Amino acid sequence: MKKIILVRYGEIMLKGLNRSHFENKLVSNIKKAIQQYGNADVIRSQGRIYVEPLSDDYDFDAALSRLTKVFGIVSVSPVLKIESDLEEILNTSLAVAKDVVENKGFRTFKVETKRGNKNFPMQSPELSRKAGARILSNIPRLSVDVHNPDFILYIEVRESSYVYWEIIPGYGGMPVGTNGKAVLLLSGGIDSPVAGWMVSKRGVEIDAVHFYSYPYTSERAKEKVIDLAKILAQYCMHINLHIVPFTEIQLEINDKCPQDQGTILMRRAMMKISERIAKSTGAQALITGESIGQVASQTMESLVVTNAAVSMPVFRPLIGMDKNEVVEIARKIDTYETSILPYEDCCTVFVAKHPTTKPQLNKILLSEQRLDLDQLIEKAIANTEVLSISG
Ligand code: ATP
Ligand code: MG
């Protein structure tokens, strides 16, 4: 008997070559995600993936929980793998049921059997009945409830057989690395990590760009963003975090342009720099955490003017979401507690009391001409620090 992890990746809509590309990428992402927990075989078979630890000291629970963060995985189960032998199946079913009753206090159950191996001499309903009877006669506290049981004991008879009860959901999506690459504008706030997570979930590789305004923003504000990138990297597999010094650009804008345009000019400079970085790293799109109407810089007019700063597509997955919907995801993916740490962001440092909510592109372009933006951007990029962050 071996304790292994069963990985389900659900239905795949892609066909032919794409399908095997998807599956191969998923297997290689799984191997990479769990290599730190010990030696294990990762085996693909009949639309499933099995992770089989090769040593006793394998960190099984850590691997299980890490796998729920690998995009493309629909669910995982800790499973006992045994020979397809009737007596062994019945004994193992009883052992699993005993364990669940002791640890969870469950009182009702049912058995569900799937028989993929037609050579096995007993049909599924009969095997379910026999396993149920074995459990009932040994655990008097338990009774059968076919409609609303506390747990379902699953038996799968294939070449080997598998017995389990627990199904832990993953996030689905597509394996990272199967859908190109994009650059996320990552602030220390709640929104942008969620935006990056949502796009990465569709299989997109992510690099991140963060603008900081030292000494107006502290070293700890930067650390916070690095921490956020580390949390995200568990899902995105790997993130190159580009940390761009932004103080000089902000001071110039503050110095030479109308106060109420400051935020929008800053946002455009961020977009331009991010686009440059994206092009140099082979990314094809930008991602921001903007949502319509959330703040002055995210009115329809502001978004239009910000968008016009670049020619690359900008993905804004939160565009139609309310803050509480974003917070819900941030909590679920574990970025929320870090995002709400109270370190100042560069946007809050030079912010005007009454920023324009209806910027006009021609006026903004005129203001931009007062800046030596090309040279400032060049310098910021030259002084950018790149951190390689693995999940
Ligand atoms: P967030 O919660 O993501 O910080 P926000 O609601 O505070 O968003 P803004 O400050 O207007 O909104 O920023 C809008 C978007 O611009 C952010 O979601 C992020 O993608 C990008 N952005 C803002 N500040 C920075 C920064 N310092 N570095 C990188 N990107 C930034
Ligand atoms: Mg912000």
Side-chain angles (χ1 to χ4, degrees):
M1 187 196 319
K2 258 201 291 190
K3 194 172 169 194
I4 67 164
I5 301 172
L6 165 59
V7 176
R8 301 175 194 79
Y9 50 91
E11 95 271 32
I12 298 171
M13 282 160 289
L14 303 169
K15 293 209 175 74
L17 274 179
N18 278 339
R19 178 181 170 135
S20 79
H21 174 59
F22 174 104
E23 289 174 329
N24 290 339
K25 193 72 201 172
L26 182 55
V27 167
S28 84
N29 286 354
I30 287 175
K31 285 182 178 165
K32 212 165 128 195
I34 60 176
Q35 65 185 6
Q36 56 189 308
Y37 305 119
N39 282 334
D41 281 334
V42 178
I43 302 154
R44 204 176 97 198
S45 164
Q46 296 178 307
R48 301 283 194 70
I49 293 167
Y50 300 94
V51 176
E52 307 205 0
L54 295 170
S55 59
D56 290 341
D57 61 353
Y58 190 79
D59 197 344
F60 193 90
D61 291 342
L64 192 66
S65 131
R66 182 69 182 77
L67 285 172
T68 61
K69 295 181 175 174
V70 174
F71 289 138
I73 292 179
V74 170
S75 65
V76 293
S77 289
V79 164
L80 293 177
K81 179 183 179 184
I82 51 179
E83 306 242 314
S84 288
D85 166 83
L86 177 61
E87 203 46 36
E88 198 168 344
I89 292 172
L90 298 180
N91 285 337
T92 307
S93 301
L94 175 59
V96 170
K98 268 191 179 150
D99 197 47
V100 179
V101 170
E102 265 163 36
N103 290 310
K104 301 279 167 186
F106 292 158
R107 306 302 289 260
T108 60
F109 79 110
K110 73 171 173 180
V111 181
E112 274 185 15
T113 302
K114 266 198 221 125
R115 191 178 60 134
N117 175 357
K118 298 301 170 200
N119 293 326
F120 189 77
M122 189 178 280
Q123 294 199 348
S124 301
E126 194 184 349
L127 183 52
S128 291
R129 268 197 305 278
K130 277 209 179 319
R134 176 72 58 96
I135 291 167
L136 285 172
S137 61
N138 284 278
I139 314 176
R141 264 190 298 169
L142 267 183
S143 61
V144 171
D145 180 344
V146 290
H147 300 297
N148 190 22
D150 292 342
F151 74 97
I152 300 175
L153 187 109
Y154 296 96
I155 300 173
E156 289 187 18
V157 185
R158 300 192 177 207
E159 196 164 334
S160 297
S161 289
Y162 305 88
V163 181
Y164 61 94
W165 71 276
E166 201 173 10
I167 299 176
I168 306 161
Y171 290 105
M174 308 190 76
V176 170
T178 56
N179 268 324
K181 180 169 169 181
V183 161
L184 166 68
L185 281 78
L186 180 63
S187 70
I190 295 169
D191 302 327
S192 44
V194 171
W197 182 87
M198 285 174 72
V199 174
S200 180
K201 180 166 175 283
R202 297 305 302 162
V204 178
E205 208 181 307
I206 303 281
D207 267 5
V209 178
H210 176 67
F211 299 91
Y212 78 110
S213 314
Y214 192 76
Y216 298 94
T217 58
S218 63
E219 197 60 28
R220 292 180 72 184
K222 182 168 137 189
E223 287 300 322
K224 168 179 162 177
V225 172
I226 296 172
D227 287 344
L228 283 171
K230 284 183 184 161
I231 299 171
L232 275 184
Q234 301 214 338
Y235 302 94
C236 308
M237 307 298 299
H238 180 267
I239 292 178
N240 280 322
L241 174 60
H242 301 252
I243 301 181
V244 184
F246 204 53
T247 317
E248 204 175 330
I249 292 178
Q250 287 183 295
L251 289 173
E252 281 280 304
I253 291 174
N254 212 35
D255 209 32
K256 299 194 172 145
C257 304
Q259 274 273 306
D260 67 337
Q261 296 179 356
T263 305
I264 208 83
L265 287 162
M266 252 167 48
R267 307 269 320 117
R268 283 175 55 91
M270 286 184 179
M271 300 296 274
K272 284 176 190 282
I273 293 172
S274 302
E275 185 181 50
R276 284 273 302 267
I277 291 174
K279 282 184 176 156
S280 75
T281 60
Q284 292 171 290
L286 303 177
I287 306 164
T288 75
E290 291 161 310
S291 123
I292 292 177
Q294 200 187 73
V295 285
S297 60
Q298 295 175 32
T299 60
M300 181 65 82
E301 289 81 357
S302 299
L303 287 168
V304 167
V305 173
T306 305
N307 205 62
V310 293
S311 58
M312 208 173 244
V314 182
F315 298 147
R316 299 178 174 88
L318 313 186
I319 198 71
M321 289 170 78
D322 293 350
K323 195 74 182 186
N324 58 342
E325 295 172 296
V326 180
V327 165
E328 198 178 307
I329 301 179
R331 285 189 197 278
K332 195 171 72 177
I333 67 174
D334 238 17
T335 52
Y336 183 75
E337 295 300 328
T338 306
S339 287
I340 58 171
L341 293 173
Y343 309 127
E344 63 300 316
D345 181 65
C346 73
C347 296
T348 53
V349 177
F350 295 95
V351 79
K353 275 213 180 66
H354 302 289
T356 171
T357 54
K358 291 190 190 307
Q360 289 174 306
L361 186 56
N362 55 351
K363 287 189 184 160
I364 297 293
L365 289 174
L366 279 177
S367 298
E368 243 168 36
Q369 279 169 15
R370 298 184 203 163
L371 309 164
D372 190 354
L373 206 51
D374 287 342
Q375 191 239 327
L376 286 167
I377 288 177
E378 209 62 58
K379 195 168 164 199
I381 289 179
N383 290 312
T384 291
E385 176 191 2
V386 185
L387 302 179
S388 165
I389 298 175
S390 289

